[in-house]
Amino acid sequence: MNQHDLLPAIKRVTVADLEPIALGATFLGTGGGGDPYVGSLVAQVAMERQTGRQHVDVIAPEELADDDFSMLVAGMGAPSVMLEKLVNLAPLEEAVAMVEQRAGRKVTAILTAEMGGGNSMIPIAFAAQRGVPVIDGDGMGRAFPELQMLMPHIEGNPICPMAVVGDAGERVLIEAVPTVKHAEILGRPLSVAMGVKNTIACFPMDGEATRRSLVPGTLSLAHAIGNAILRGRREGDPFGALFACLSRSPHYRHHARLGEGRIIDVSRRIERGWTLGVCRVKTWEGDEMELLFRNEYLVAKRDGKTLATVPDLIMVLDAETAVPMTTDDIKYGQRVVVITTSAADCMRTPKALEIVGPDKFGLDEPFIPIEQRLSAQAHSL
Amino acid sequence: MNQHDLLPAIKRVTVADLEPIALGATFLGTGGGGDPYVGSLVAQVAMERQTGRQHVDVIAPEELADDDFSMLVAGMGAPSVMLEKLVNLAPLEEAVAMVEQRAGRKVTAILTAEMGGGNSMIPIAFAAQRGVPVIDGDGMGRAFPELQMLMPHIEGNPICPMAVVGDAGERVLIEAVPTVKHAEILGRPLSVAMGVKNTIACFPMDGEATRRSLVPGTLSLAHAIGNAILRGRREGDPFGALFACLSRSPHYRHHARLGEGRIIDVSRRIERGWTLGVCRVKTWEGDEMELLFRNEYLVAKRDGKTLATVPDLIMVLDAETAVPMTTDDIKYGQRVVVITTSAADCMRTPKALEIVGPDKFGLDEPFIPIEQRLSAQAHSL
C-alpha cells in the first residue's frame, strides 16, 4: 500500500466533524463504549463557547516533543446512566487540574483514553475548553471495559496520580496503587458511589512516553469511518464505502463480513456494572451465529465455529444503513450484518495479548488474527 | 460533684496502660468497634520501638494552643477482617503524611476518631511512631458506624482532605466532597475494595477547632473503666467498681442496670459491611429483653417497653466478670448483665441528635435521656 492510499489525517475538529467522529467511534466501540450523542453535544457547546475560534487543533503523535505533557481523560460508569444524566464540563477541568497540580505542570495536549463510543467526545470537549490540542490517537484503538487494558499500561507507564471526579463535587485522587488492576478495583466502586458516572484523568506522560503508548491515528480513522458511512448512505452503498475506508487504514485494513441475517435472540444481564450476554443471529443461509458480549462483542461463532475474537473488533451493523449497533441497542427481529476488522498491531503483540487476549475475557480460545483465519479459509476452499 | 470526685486525667500512656485502655474502649464500644487486641499489640510494638522512652504523652484538650494542628486517625472496615489481617504501621504514617502534605503542616497532636473498640489503639500507635502526643478525647465518646457521626462534623469542620490507605500500597486522597455523607459513601466501598480494612486520616483542624470538636477526657475514662473492671475482678466486685467509676465521670455518670439473665437467642446478619441483628435475653425475673444492634447496640427493650436508645450507651456485660461483650461475641446461653450509661453531653444536643438520634438508625423512637427515664420511673413507683 503506498502513502497515497492511506486515510487522510484530520488536522482540526470543527462542530461539523463531531457527527462523523461520533459515528466512527461507535463503530470502533465494537458494541460497547456507550452512545456518543450526549458527549457530542457537550463537545459542541465547549467548542462554541471558545472565543475567537470554533475548532479544536489536532496534533499527530509524531509532532509531540519529548517535553510535551499529556494525560488520558475519560468518563467512567454505565453507558445507560451517562445518557440520562446531564453532562457537566466542570468535572473534566477539575480532574485534569488535580493531576496537573500533583505533577507540577500543565498539559500541552490531551489524549483520548478510548476512541470507542462516548469517550471519543470527552477529550474534544476538554481541548476546546482549555485551548490545547487533542492528540490523533487513543489508548485502546477500540473500546475495552477495564483500565488495565490501555496502551499506556501495556507500555509500562504508571496510572497514578489518577483523579476521579463526580458530578456532585466529589474529588478523589488515587495517589498510588501496587498494580494498575488496583486502580480498576478502586475506581469501579468509586464510580458506583458517585452515581455510576464520573470523570477520570490519569496516566500523566511526557511527549516521549505518549508517542509510544497510544494507538496512532484513531481520531482520523473514526472521522473517516463516520464520513464513509454517511456518504455511503447518501450514495446508496454504505457497506461499500465503509469497506473501502477500512482498506485504507494501516491498522484496521483486514476485515471480513462474517454473516448477515436476523437477530433471533438477545439475552442480556447487568452484572457489576457490565452488560453481559449473548446475541443470536439466523443468517439468510440458515446458519446460526452466536455473539458473546461483555459491554463489547467478544467472540463471533457461526454454527459453533469461531470466526473472530477479541482483541480483533467485531461489529453488528444495521443491514440497511451500516450504522453500528451497541450491545444495548440490539433487539429481536433486527436485520444485521456482522463484520470484523483487525485490531491495531500494538494491541496484538504478545505483551498486549497478556492483558487483552481472549482468555482475559474468560474465553477458552486462542487469539488467531482475522487475516490468518481468512487465509486458512481461502486455502481450505 | 466537686472536683475531687472526678476521674483522674491520664498524663502518659505506658505499655502497662494498654490493657485497661483496651478494656475500657471495648466498654465504650457499646457492642461495636471491634476487638482492640490486635491494635494493642501494634501500639505496644510502636511504643517499644521508640528510642529513649517507652511511653506516649497525653495532652488535655484545654492544653492545645490555637495554632496546634491535629487530625483524626482510624481504621475503617469490618472488625472480623481486622482481627485476621496482620496490622502494618506503615499505612498509618502514610495516611497522616498525605493529609499533612495537602495541609502544608505537620500534626502536633493526634486525635482518636472513636474511643470504642479497636480504634482506641490506632492513635496511640501513631503517637509512639511519630513522637507526638495523643489528645485526651475522641470524636464520638463511644463507637458509631458512620463517618458523619463524628463531633468534628457536628461542629462543622470539613472532613477533607481525607486519606484512605490500604495495606497493599493503595493511597487515595479524597480532596473534596459536597457533604460528609459523601465521604462515607465513597470511603465505604474503597474500604471494601481494599480488602475490608484500611487506615484513614481526616478532619485536619487547628487547636481551636479541635478543642470544641471532641468529647473530652475519654482516653482517661477508658483507662479508668478498664482499671475499675480489672481491679473489681481481683477484689470480687467488678460491677461495684465499674459503677463507682462511672459515677465519677462528668459525662457518663448516669447509668442503670437494665436487666440480668441469659441470652436465649441471637440473630445476626452481615449487610453492606455492618453486623445487624437482635439479641434476646430472658431475665431471672422471667421478663424478655430485646436488644437491636447495627454494629453497636441501638435500643434495649424489656417486655416491649423501651428502656434506652442511642446515642446513650447500651452494653452487654458478662455476668461474672463485667467484661463487655461485642455484638460479634454474644452467644446463646451466656449469662449477662445489660446496662446503659448517658452519652456525652455534646452527643445529646439538638444538633447532635439530628445526626446520631434514634431515627438516624431507623428506630421509631424519640431520644429520652436515661436520667429522665430513671426519674420518670422513680416518680411512677
Side-chain angles (χ1 to χ4, degrees):
Chain A
M1 186 182 305
N2 73 48
Q3 202 61 25
H4 291 289
D5 292 329
L6 294 178
L7 291 173
I10 185 171
K11 288 296 167 199
R12 45 166 63 183
V13 176
T14 65
V15 170
D17 295 317
L18 295 176
E19 186 192 356
I21 292 171
L23 184 57
T26 305
F27 180 88
L28 294 174
T30 176
D35 188 320
Y37 176 67
V38 174
S40 70
L41 295 183
V42 175
Q44 182 176 343
V45 167
M47 286 170 79
E48 289 172 350
R49 270 193 201 154
Q50 298 177 105
T51 45
R53 59 178 205 165
Q54 300 281 304
H55 72 272
V56 161
D57 287 321
V58 178
I59 184 168
E62 62 272 19
E63 291 169 347
L64 289 170
D66 286 356
D67 66 349
D68 267 317
F69 181 57
S70 81
M71 63 183 78
L72 270 71
V73 289
M76 193 170 182
S80 49
V81 174
M82 293 196 172
L83 262 182
E84 286 171 19
K85 278 197 178 175
L86 285 176
V87 178
N88 191 338
L89 282 166
L92 193 50
E93 178 61 32
E94 287 277 21
V96 174
M98 283 166 68
V99 177
E100 286 178 331
Q101 196 200 355
R102 186 51 58 118
R105 53 189 303 199
K106 296 273 185 187
V107 290
T108 57
I110 196 79
L111 184 57
T112 305
E114 177 180 62
M115 195 64 74
N119 272 328
S120 60
M121 291 292 148
I122 306 287
I124 296 173
F126 176 80
Q129 186 170 250
R130 182 68 82 84
V132 294
V134 64
I135 299 168
D136 188 1
D138 76 308
M140 293 178 162
R142 47 167 292 162
F144 273 130
E146 298 187 40
L147 289 170
Q148 73 273 18
M149 295 171 172
L150 284 157
M151 275 302 293
H153 167 58
I154 294 169
E155 284 298 316
N157 302 283
I159 193 169
C160 289
M162 168 173 158
V164 185
V165 177
D167 280 353
E170 308 96 324
R171 294 206 313 266
V172 176
L173 189 69
I174 302 180
E175 295 190 356
V177 280
T179 72
V180 68
K181 183 79 189 169
H182 284 81
E184 172 67 31
I185 292 170
L186 299 176
R188 197 60 55 178
L190 279 176
S191 164
V192 173
M194 289 176 180
V196 209
K197 171 178 174 298
N198 54 22
T199 305
I200 65 170
C202 56
F203 283 112
M205 294 179 286
D206 64 21
E208 184 278 321
T210 308
R211 285 196 306 266
R212 61 178 166 77
S213 306
L214 49 68
V215 181
T218 49
L219 181 61
S220 294
L221 177 66
H223 185 252
I225 290 172
N227 269 331
I229 296 173
L230 292 170
R231 196 181 56 247
R233 282 170 67 179
R234 284 194 304 271
E235 296 170 359
D237 182 17
F239 285 93
L242 172 63
F243 290 135
C245 170
L246 290 174
S247 297
R248 294 171 65 200
S249 158
H251 287 304
Y252 299 80
R253 67 182 181 279
H254 306 292
H255 55 266
R257 196 184 270 251
L258 300 177
E260 180 167 351
R262 194 181 292 277
I263 295 176
I264 55 167
D265 188 35
V266 179
S267 81
R268 186 162 33 210
R269 64 186 195 280
I270 308 288
E271 207 176 287
R272 286 175 300 151
W274 289 309
T275 306
L276 303 172
V278 188
C279 170
R280 281 177 222 283
V281 176
K282 189 79 155 182
T283 68
W284 303 138
E285 295 85 6
D287 297 343
E288 190 171 308
M289 296 191 68
E290 185 183 75
L291 309 171
L292 287 185
F293 54 86
R294 179 164 125 198
N295 289 11
E296 289 78 38
Y297 299 108
L298 302 177
V299 59
K301 297 184 181 191
R302 186 163 173 163
D303 278 348
K305 184 169 173 285
T306 298
L307 301 182
T309 71
V310 276
D312 280 352
L313 288 68
I314 298 164
M315 293 80 162
V316 174
L317 309 179
D318 180 281
E320 192 108 4
T321 61
V323 167
M325 299 165 76
T326 69
T327 54
D328 281 322
D329 290 338
I330 47 173
K331 285 190 193 71
Y332 174 86
Q334 285 166 323
R335 285 176 49 221
V336 297
V337 177
V338 182
I339 73 163
T340 186
T341 81
S342 44
D345 295 338
C346 56
M347 276 290 168
R348 298 163 128 199
T349 62
K351 74 178 171 180
L353 290 174
E354 274 178 32
I355 294 168
V356 299
D359 57 318
K360 295 303 172 292
F361 295 84
L363 300 177
D364 188 19
E365 299 264 1
F367 173 65
I368 302 173
I370 182 60
E371 61 275 26
Q372 275 184 38
R373 291 185 189 272
L374 294 173
S375 151
Q377 208 177 13
H379 285 290
S380 73
L381 288 177
Chain B
M1 187 183 306
N2 72 48
Q3 203 59 28
H4 292 290
D5 292 329
L6 294 179
L7 290 174
I10 186 171
K11 288 295 167 199
R12 46 165 63 183
V13 176
T14 65
V15 169
D17 295 317
L18 296 176
E19 186 192 356
I21 292 171
L23 184 57
T26 304
F27 180 89
L28 293 173
T30 177
D35 188 319
Y37 176 69
V38 173
S40 68
L41 295 183
V42 175
Q44 182 176 342
V45 166
M47 287 170 81
E48 289 173 350
R49 269 194 201 154
Q50 297 177 103
T51 45
R53 61 178 204 163
Q54 300 281 303
H55 71 271
V56 160
D57 288 321
V58 178
I59 185 168
E62 61 272 19
E63 292 168 346
L64 290 169
D66 286 356
D67 66 349
D68 267 317
F69 181 57
S70 81
M71 64 183 75
L72 270 70
V73 288
M76 194 168 182
S80 50
V81 174
M82 292 195 172
L83 263 181
E84 285 171 21
K85 277 197 180 174
L86 285 175
V87 178
N88 191 338
L89 282 165
L92 192 51
E93 178 62 32
E94 287 277 21
V96 174
M98 284 166 69
V99 178
E100 285 178 332
Q101 197 202 352
R102 187 50 58 119
R105 53 190 302 202
K106 296 273 184 186
V107 291
T108 57
I110 196 79
L111 183 57
T112 305
E114 176 180 64
M115 194 66 72
N119 272 328
S120 59
M121 291 291 147
I122 306 287
I124 297 172
F126 176 80
Q129 186 170 249
R130 182 68 82 84
V132 295
V134 63
I135 299 168
D136 189 2
D138 76 307
M140 294 179 162
R142 48 165 294 161
F144 273 129
E146 298 187 40
L147 288 169
Q148 72 273 19
M149 297 171 171
L150 285 157
M151 277 301 296
H153 168 59
I154 295 169
E155 284 298 317
N157 303 283
I159 193 170
C160 289
M162 169 173 157
V164 185
V165 177
D167 280 353
E170 307 96 325
R171 294 206 314 265
V172 176
L173 189 69
I174 302 179
E175 294 190 358
V177 281
T179 73
V180 69
K181 183 79 189 168
H182 283 81
E184 171 67 30
I185 291 169
L186 299 176
R188 196 62 53 180
L190 279 177
S191 165
V192 173
M194 290 177 181
V196 209
K197 171 178 173 297
N198 54 21
T199 305
I200 65 170
C202 56
F203 284 113
M205 295 180 285
D206 65 20
E208 184 278 321
T210 307
R211 285 197 305 267
R212 63 178 165 75
S213 307
L214 50 69
V215 182
T218 50
L219 181 61
S220 294
L221 176 67
H223 185 251
I225 290 172
N227 270 331
I229 296 175
L230 291 170
R231 194 180 58 247
R233 282 171 66 181
R234 285 194 303 272
E235 296 171 359
D237 182 17
F239 285 93
L242 171 63
F243 290 136
C245 170
L246 290 173
S247 297
R248 295 170 66 197
S249 159
H251 287 303
Y252 299 79
R253 66 182 182 278
H254 305 292
H255 55 266
R257 197 185 269 252
L258 300 176
E260 182 169 346
R262 193 180 293 279
I263 295 177
I264 55 167
D265 188 35
V266 179
S267 81
R268 187 163 32 210
R269 65 184 194 279
I270 309 289
E271 208 176 286
R272 285 178 299 151
W274 290 309
T275 306
L276 304 170
V278 188
C279 171
R280 282 176 222 286
V281 176
K282 189 78 153 184
T283 67
W284 303 138
E285 296 84 5
D287 297 344
E288 190 171 308
M289 296 191 69
E290 185 183 73
L291 309 172
L292 288 185
F293 53 86
R294 180 164 123 197
N295 289 11
E296 289 78 38
Y297 300 107
L298 301 177
V299 59
K301 297 184 181 191
R302 186 163 173 162
D303 278 349
K305 183 169 175 286
T306 298
L307 302 181
T309 71
V310 278
D312 280 352
L313 288 70
I314 298 164
M315 293 80 164
V316 174
L317 310 179
D318 179 280
E320 193 107 4
T321 60
V323 167
M325 298 165 76
T326 69
T327 53
D328 281 320
D329 290 337
I330 47 173
K331 285 190 192 72
Y332 174 84
Q334 285 166 322
R335 287 176 49 220
V336 297
V337 176
V338 181
I339 74 164
T340 186
T341 81
S342 46
D345 295 339
C346 55
M347 276 288 167
R348 299 163 128 200
T349 62
K351 76 177 168 178
L353 290 175
E354 275 179 28
I355 294 167
V356 298
D359 56 318
K360 294 303 172 293
F361 295 84
L363 300 176
D364 188 19
E365 300 265 359
F367 173 65
I368 303 173
I370 182 61
E371 61 274 26
Q372 275 183 39
R373 290 186 190 270
L374 293 173
S375 150
Q377 207 178 12
H379 285 292
S380 73
L381 288 177

